[in-house]
Structures are given as C-alpha cells and as structure tokens.
Amino acid sequence: MTYISSARPTILLADVEGILETSRRRNRQDEITGLLVFDGKRFLQVIEGPYQAIETTFARIAQDPRHRALVKLATRSVEVREFGQWAMASHIVGPLIGDGNIVEQVDALTETLTDPNIKATLRGFARVRA
Ligand SMILES: Cc1cc2nc3c(=O)[nH]c(=O)nc-3n(C[C@H](O)[C@H](O)[C@H](O)COP(=O)(O)O)c2cc1C
C-alpha cells in the first residue's frame, strides 16, 4: 500500500524521529516492511506485509494527528516483497536530515526495486517541489 499525507505544519525533527522509531519497532513485530520518505512537508510511505497487518496498521496511521489529508495512491497484492531484504522497516530522507538532497537519496534507496510503478511514484515524489 502506498499513500501520501501532509505533515502537521508544526512538526519537528524529533516528531519524525519518533515516528520512525515506533514504525521500526512495530513493523518488525507485525512483519511489515516498507519505506517512509519525508520531504520536510509531506510523507510518502509504502508498507507491505500480511493483508490484515496492513489494514490494522494503516487504520492506526490514519488516526495520527502528526499528519493529515492522507491519500491512498495504490494498494495491491504481491507475491514477493519489494522491501523485504531491508533490515530497517523505513527510511527518512529530506532537508531535515542529511545533506538535503532528496532526489539522490531516494534514487539510491529505490535502486533495487523491481516494481516500476512504486519506483516511479517514489522518484517522482522526490522530484516534486511545491
Ligand atoms: C507518517 C507516519 C507514518 C507512520 N508509519 C507507521 C508504520 O509504518 N507503522 C506503525 O506501526 N506506525 C506508524 N506510524 C505511527 C502510528 O500512527 C502510531 O503512532 C503508532 O503505530 C503507535 O500507535 P499506538 O499509539 O496506538 O500504539 C506512522 C505515523 C506517521 C505520522
């Protein structure tokens, strides 16, 4: 499942780090893998795993006041995980962390993806500047 959302305008780096820490811990328990990209304003997240775990987790994420205006971009069933080989459940990139070169970072993170739609969605997100 892929969705985008807008971060609450007052969001802090500490909030994003908290989201990442919770997501990694809970997703490991729930056998969910994926990628979370934050560009300073918006989130783009891909999560994959057992159907029920994805439904439950997405319902929880949607209730989270740290973001709003969630829009599901795609949901489909897959035989093989796209992010399954990654030890970390998610990644944060963007201006708040690192050198701020979101395009380079997302390109690197998506290098090994086999699904052309997910790859294009992630790379397109990194290139859009509002
Ligand atoms: C952008 C964003 C992405 C999130 N991604 C996940 C995630 O992948 N897995 C997860 O368990 N929680 C994620 N969360 C956190 C959940 O909204 C929630 O805070 C967390 O699961 C703990 O829920 P609880 O307080 O009901 O235990 C995310 C929150 C935000 C704002």
Side-chain angles (χ1 to χ4, degrees):
M1 175 189 295
T2 308
Y3 76 89
I4 52 168
S5 66
S6 297
R8 194 185 57 203
T10 55
I11 199 156
L12 302 171
L13 180 55
D15 295 317
V16 180
E17 285 170 347
I19 290 166
L20 186 53
E21 193 187 315
T22 308
S23 303
R24 285 182 175 147
R25 178 171 43 80
R26 297 202 57 148
N27 291 356
R28 210 172 285 126
Q29 288 166 2
D30 296 336
E31 294 176 25
I32 290 173
T33 46
L35 173 68
L36 177 63
V37 182
F38 179 60
D39 70 0
K41 261 187 182 170
R42 294 177 309 149
F43 293 103
L44 173 64
Q45 188 171 30
V46 186
I47 49 174
E48 62 184 359
Y51 179 82
Q52 196 50 54
I54 293 298
E55 291 294 303
T56 306
T57 298
F58 183 72
R60 217 169 51 236
I61 293 171
Q63 297 297 318
D64 196 313
R66 292 172 291 191
H67 64 166
R68 61 187 173 77
L70 279 75
V71 178
K72 265 191 210 180
L73 298 180
T75 312
R76 68 184 188 89
S77 75
V78 289
E79 293 292 324
V80 179
R81 288 172 188 258
E82 282 286 315
F83 304 95
Q85 78 280 18
W86 290 7
M88 277 183 294
S90 26
H91 290 262
I92 295 275
V93 297
L96 288 180
I97 298 174
D99 66 4
N101 192 334
I102 187 169
V103 170
E104 264 179 27
Q105 291 176 61
V106 169
D107 281 0
L109 288 169
T110 55
E111 191 62 51
T112 60
L113 300 187
T114 59
D115 185 308
N117 294 317
I118 292 178
K119 198 166 180 166
T121 300
L122 285 158
R123 291 185 168 190
F125 178 84
R127 281 164 175 80
V128 170
R129 296 269 66 88

